[in-house]
Amino acid sequence: MPAHISSSSNQYIGTKFEDRATTLESIDADETPDLDKQAGALRKDLDAAELSAALKSELRARIEAVQKKGIEAKKRLLAGRVDKCLNGVKVEVEQALADGKKSLVLNLDIGADSKASQKVIKAVQKLAPDLAFMGISEEDVGSGGKVLCFSIVPDSLMKETGLKANEWLKDVLDSVGGRGGGKPGNAQGQVPQCDDIDAIITKAESFVDDAVAVA
């Protein structure tokens, strides 16, 4: 191919990438939860493109800045979701105690964040130290993607019923192709893909209801 055609083609491709980078930079990260993923996709395209090293380096830096902005916005969004979720958990736990329940399964909105799950666990244990609890949370609500699942069983209920958090978790995750592990008192795992969160909740409630019913 003649050199002048190759140069012209590279210039055209470079301009296209610059336009795409500029578009991403103009997006409000707080209003676009997947901005980091959009930037990541552009980065992949850029890595595969035939451009000068200097232009690639410049564009890569711009794209990485957008990714960072997107990740920081996602963290802010998740923090807000977690705070709201914790308030809801407290209400649900208090209601469960008022109803005399020994277990509670909740569909949460904390993404697939294991640190957030620890906050939920601490809140539950503080309010209801004798309550068996399982939290189930989709990474992105309604996406059919990753699901986080975690469980806790207090010693008192374990001795009374034989219920163990790791066995409870395994039964639930096995039913939907997930994996996890832990101890009799607490366990955690994930499902790579799931488009029926209600089925997981039903399975979790069925298992724990059967276990608690024997007490």
Side-chain angles (χ1 to χ4, degrees):
M1 180 180 293
H4 72 278
I5 294 179
S6 176
S7 175
S8 175
S9 175
N10 283 350
Q11 185 176 5
Y12 173 77
I13 294 172
T15 299
K16 286 294 183 182
F17 273 107
E18 287 180 324
D19 289 345
R20 291 173 66 186
T22 299
T23 297
L24 282 183
E25 288 169 335
S26 69
I27 293 175
D28 184 343
D30 290 313
E31 298 294 331
T32 313
D34 68 340
L35 180 60
D36 61 320
K37 292 182 179 180
Q38 291 186 42
L42 180 55
R43 169 68 184 271
K44 280 188 176 181
D45 290 345
L46 176 65
D47 288 344
E50 292 186 7
L51 292 173
S52 70
L55 181 56
K56 266 196 174 184
S57 179
E58 177 193 336
L59 287 170
R60 190 176 290 119
R62 290 172 61 184
I63 293 169
E64 287 175 352
V66 172
Q67 276 186 302
K68 183 178 180 181
K69 183 171 70 170
I71 290 170
E72 289 173 349
K74 186 174 283 187
K75 287 180 179 178
R76 290 194 297 273
L77 178 63
L78 179 59
R81 285 166 61 186
V82 172
D83 287 342
K84 182 177 180 180
C85 178
L86 286 173
N87 289 331
V89 167
K90 290 175 182 177
V91 172
E92 293 285 353
V93 169
E94 288 171 353
Q95 186 61 56
L97 291 176
D99 293 340
K101 292 183 178 180
K102 295 182 179 181
S103 65
L104 180 64
V105 177
L106 289 182
N107 183 1
L108 307 172
D109 184 18
I110 58 171
D113 189 334
S114 58
K115 289 183 179 179
S117 72
Q118 293 305 308
K119 291 183 179 181
V120 172
I121 287 172
K122 287 181 180 179
V124 172
Q125 290 176 324
K126 183 177 180 180
L127 286 170
D130 296 321
L131 183 74
F133 178 84
M134 179 172 284
I136 298 165
S137 177
E138 296 175 272
E139 182 174 30
D140 295 303
V141 177
S143 68
K146 187 187 298 183
V147 175
L148 172 69
C149 186
F150 57 96
S151 57
I152 53 172
V153 176
D155 290 340
S156 59
L157 195 61
M158 202 184 307
K159 292 176 182 177
E160 181 184 356
T161 67
L163 175 66
K164 296 179 181 179
N166 52 345
E167 293 178 356
W168 185 14
L169 180 81
K170 185 178 186 303
D171 182 79
V172 173
L173 293 184
D174 283 352
S175 70
V176 286
R179 296 182 65 182
K183 302 176 182 180
N186 62 80
Q188 182 170 297
Q190 293 184 345
V191 182
Q193 293 181 311
C194 181
D195 57 6
D196 191 355
I197 196 76
D198 290 336
I200 299 180
I201 294 170
T202 298
K203 182 68 173 175
E205 291 178 335
S206 175
F207 184 93
V208 75
D209 286 347
D210 288 345
V212 173
V214 302

